[in-house]
Amino acid sequence: MSFFRFDSVLARVWVLGQMGAARLDFARMPDVTFWKLCGSGVGEGFTPKPNTAVWAILAVWKDEDSARRAIDAAAVYTRWRSHASESWTVFLSTLSARGEWSGKAPFSETETRRDGPLAALTRATIKPTALRHFWGQEPAISAAIGRNRDVLFKIGIGEVPFLHQVTFSIWPDAKSMFEFARAGGPHAEAIRRVREGGWFREELYARFQVLGATGTWAGMNPLAQSERTAA
């Protein structure tokens, strides 16, 4: 998962054009098995209002070496980095995944859980009739994530504003991640309402082992806090 920040107006206009051009790059890459280009939301990111400065590339590769080679040298990544004010890539290996994304199951379980940070990704296509109900839950969830001192990194991204939503977060360990997801707070309440109301047309839930990262975000490596704690 790669994130890019584009501060200038010209750079933001440029990356909008990349929503078409970058697709051609990925279509010609032999080792990538799944990819998505995503925008982000303002504030904590978990909002339907677009943030034109922050964009993301999610790509699935056959192995970690292929991923690292592509991030380092593939034209699409070097091009995006050259226009971005800042970029950060986190390398992940799948612990568990269920559901589909665009009719596919993109993540294969390849990792046995070990000590260290974990990442959580949820993705959904929201039914148009459920938009008001779904986004009505957002302020409480966003506030809860923002107050949580355990989360190392958090962002809301998506392919299409309002309809396609992805939440991505990194936690120092399994205990902190599952306590937030399952405790009797706004996140658990939102999950209950989704299930009861059938708000999603398609959904996917995945958990990952964090293998490492390259680059910076907000001037630092978001994983540094976890590394200091472990030391």
Side-chain angles (χ1 to χ4, degrees):
M1 181 79 82
S2 299
F3 301 96
F4 302 83
R5 190 189 314 279
F6 300 90
D7 286 337
S8 72
V9 174
L10 287 178
R12 296 184 190 193
V13 172
W14 176 86
V15 74
L16 282 172
Q18 287 296 299
M19 292 301 101
R23 295 176 185 275
L24 300 177
D25 289 275
F26 280 103
R28 294 192 292 262
M29 288 188 192
D31 294 332
V32 67
T33 60
F34 184 86
W35 55 270
K36 289 292 181 181
L37 308 174
C38 297
S40 70
V42 298
E44 297 287 353
F46 301 93
T47 70
K49 185 178 179 181
N51 178 359
T52 59
V54 176
W55 299 77
I57 299 176
L58 166 69
V60 181
W61 309 87
K62 64 179 184 179
D63 53 48
E64 184 181 352
D65 287 342
S66 298
R68 290 186 177 273
R69 284 196 300 269
I71 300 303
D72 182 59
V76 62
Y77 288 99
T78 58
R79 191 168 67 243
W80 280 47
R81 282 196 297 269
S82 70
H83 285 80
S85 304
E86 188 175 38
S87 65
W88 185 63
T89 293
V90 58
F91 298 95
L92 310 164
S93 186
T94 308
L95 290 169
S96 64
R98 59 185 176 88
E100 294 187 339
W101 190 333
S102 298
K104 300 179 180 179
F107 307 120
S108 299
E109 298 178 16
T110 58
E111 184 75 15
T112 301
R113 182 173 296 161
R114 58 178 187 263
D115 292 339
L118 302 179
L121 181 148
T122 64
R123 186 268 175 187
T125 298
I126 307 164
K127 294 178 180 177
T129 54
L131 286 174
R132 180 175 61 85
H133 301 292
F134 177 82
W135 289 112
Q137 297 291 311
E138 179 277 326
I141 297 173
S142 183
I145 294 176
R147 290 193 302 266
N148 194 296
R149 296 183 178 181
D150 289 326
V151 64
L152 302 177
F153 180 82
K154 55 191 178 299
I155 194 169
I157 57 178
E159 304 151 84
V160 178
F162 293 99
L163 292 174
H164 294 171
Q165 177 70 6
V166 179
T167 61
F168 180 77
S169 57
I170 298 177
W171 304 81
D173 50 47
K175 181 176 181 291
S176 59
M177 182 173 69
F178 288 117
E179 279 183 353
F180 174 79
R182 300 303 177 190
H187 187 271
E189 176 64 14
I191 292 174
R192 183 186 67 79
R193 293 193 179 188
V194 165
R195 293 286 179 266
E196 292 178 353
W199 294 352
F200 295 162
R201 179 177 297 161
E202 184 182 56
E203 56 190 301
L204 180 144
Y205 303 90
R207 301 292 179 266
F208 305 91
Q209 191 78 51
V210 176
L211 303 178
T214 182
T216 64
W217 200 250
M220 62 173 288
N221 175 7
L223 300 182
Q225 177 182 340
S226 176
E227 293 168 359
R228 288 195 298 268
T229 301

